[in-house]
Every structure is written in C-alpha cells, then in structure tokens.
C-alpha cells in the first residue's frame, strides 16, 4: 500500500507535514513526494515489534521498538481505515517472519 499521510514532527512543534508513505515488507518508508527509481526515503518505521494504535477515524500512532511515537493522519476516514488494516497485517507478517521456527524432530531409525 502507498499514498499520502500527514506526519507530525517528533517534538510536535511544527505543523503536520504531508509525506508519501510506502508499505514495503516490514517497513513503512516515507518520502517528500511519490518516489522514482532513484529516490531515497526520508526515513523508515520498522513495523517489527511496533504497536499501532487508532486515535480517531483518520489518525493513528505507531510506537516503534526504539520508543518513538509516530503520529500519522490519513487524508480521510476511508484511507485511515485502509492504512490501519494494512499496517496491522504488515506488523503481524513481520512478527511471524522473525519468529524462530521449532526444529524438526526426527525419529531415530531402528535397524
């Protein structure tokens, strides 16, 4: 999923900034504008171990594993709902991918 969201600065002192976000695997990347092939992201939010919390119909917070709270807001309620669903799915998938797998137990051969 990708599209515009509003991002609040960490200190909350600046007005909301419109940024283009791209959900890529277990990361939420953000750019000033839709990226081209050579565009580097302005930053990324790792969704592994992150907690997503709905604030209202358009706004949500992401608490990353480093303790930073990312305040984000969709442009409308429909987009807010779509982003929340996509972020929840991506966060769950990242957690499953990072979970250690149990070793396969083999039965000894008798012979």
């Amino acid at each position: 999923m990708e599209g515009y969201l509003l991002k609040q600065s960490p200190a909350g002192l600046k007005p909301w900034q419109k940024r283009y976000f791209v959900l890529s695997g277990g990361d939420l990347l953000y750019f000033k504008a839709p990226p081209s092939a050579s565009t580097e992201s302005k930053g990324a939010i790792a969704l592994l171990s992150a907690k997503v919390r709905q604030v209202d119909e358009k706004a949500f917070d992401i608490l990353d594993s480093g303790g930073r709270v990312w305040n984000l807001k969709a442009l409308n309620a429909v987009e807010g709902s779509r982003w929340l669903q996509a972020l929840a799915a991506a966060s769950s998938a990242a957690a499953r991918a990072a979970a250690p797998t149990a070793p396969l137990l083999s039965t000894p051969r008798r012979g």
Side-chain angles (χ1 to χ4, degrees):
M1 177 165 188
E2 59 185 75
Y4 281 102
L5 292 170
L6 300 174
K7 179 183 87 64
Q8 194 171 38
S9 66
L13 301 175
K14 295 180 182 179
W16 290 81
Q17 301 167 330
K18 189 175 182 180
R19 295 289 182 250
Y20 195 84
F21 283 80
V22 176
L23 186 56
S24 177
D27 294 319
L28 183 60
L29 309 171
Y30 63 94
F31 306 82
K32 278 196 171 184
S36 64
S38 62
T39 307
E40 287 195 35
S41 68
K42 296 280 296 170
I45 305 168
L47 297 176
L48 179 63
S49 302
K51 301 204 180 349
V52 180
R53 180 180 68 93
Q54 185 173 6
V55 176
D56 63 31
E57 62 185 16
K58 296 190 302 185
F60 51 93
D61 295 336
I62 301 174
L63 174 62
D64 69 19
S65 60
R68 178 171 175 188
V69 177
W70 298 79
N71 301 310
L72 302 173
K73 189 186 302 185
L75 302 180
N76 58 58
V78 173
E79 286 297 305
S81 178
R82 288 182 65 223
W83 274 106
L84 277 170
Q85 290 174 0
L87 289 167
S91 182
S92 294
R96 281 193 307 275
T101 56
L104 296 175
L105 299 176
S106 61
T107 55
R109 293 185 181 202
R110 297 183 185 178

mmCIF file of all heavy atoms in Angstrom, residues 62 79 99 101 109:
data_model
loop_
_atom_site.group_PDB
_atom_site.id
_atom_site.type_symbol
_atom_site.label_atom_id
_atom_site.label_comp_id
_atom_site.label_asym_id
_atom_site.label_seq_id
_atom_site.Cartn_x
_atom_site.Cartn_y
_atom_site.Cartn_z
ATOM 1 N N ILE A 62 2.053 5.100 15.815
ATOM 2 C CA ILE A 62 2.883 3.904 15.773
ATOM 3 C C ILE A 62 3.980 4.084 16.813
ATOM 4 O O ILE A 62 4.725 5.061 16.772
ATOM 5 C CB ILE A 62 3.513 3.683 14.378
ATOM 6 C CG1 ILE A 62 2.419 3.546 13.309
ATOM 7 C CG2 ILE A 62 4.415 2.450 14.395
ATOM 8 C CD1 ILE A 62 2.959 3.460 11.894
ATOM 9 N N GLU A 79 -9.391 6.239 3.987
ATOM 10 C CA GLU A 79 -7.953 5.969 3.895
ATOM 11 C C GLU A 79 -7.380 5.593 5.262
ATOM 12 O O GLU A 79 -6.503 4.741 5.360
ATOM 13 C CB GLU A 79 -7.208 7.179 3.320
ATOM 14 C CG GLU A 79 -7.407 7.355 1.835
ATOM 15 C CD GLU A 79 -6.850 6.184 1.036
ATOM 16 O OE1 GLU A 79 -5.663 5.860 1.185
ATOM 17 O OE2 GLU A 79 -7.626 5.603 0.254
ATOM 18 N N ALA A 99 9.875 -14.719 13.854
ATOM 19 C CA ALA A 99 9.760 -15.704 14.934
ATOM 20 C C ALA A 99 10.624 -16.916 14.634
ATOM 21 O O ALA A 99 10.674 -17.394 13.501
ATOM 22 C CB ALA A 99 8.304 -16.125 15.097
ATOM 23 N N THR A 101 11.697 -20.654 14.290
ATOM 24 C CA THR A 101 10.916 -21.848 13.993
ATOM 25 C C THR A 101 11.419 -22.995 14.853
ATOM 26 O O THR A 101 12.597 -23.079 15.170
ATOM 27 C CB THR A 101 11.038 -22.232 12.507
ATOM 28 O OG1 THR A 101 12.417 -22.404 12.194
ATOM 29 C CG2 THR A 101 10.463 -21.146 11.616
ATOM 30 N N ARG A 109 16.099 -44.108 13.535
ATOM 31 C CA ARG A 109 15.846 -45.327 12.749
ATOM 32 C C ARG A 109 16.292 -46.549 13.540
ATOM 33 O O ARG A 109 17.316 -46.526 14.186
ATOM 34 C CB ARG A 109 16.592 -45.271 11.431
ATOM 35 C CG ARG A 109 16.068 -44.199 10.530
ATOM 36 C CD ARG A 109 16.772 -44.279 9.222
ATOM 37 N NE ARG A 109 16.281 -43.206 8.354
ATOM 38 C CZ ARG A 109 16.359 -43.234 7.077
ATOM 39 N NH1 ARG A 109 16.933 -44.242 6.469
ATOM 40 N NH2 ARG A 109 15.896 -42.246 6.365
#
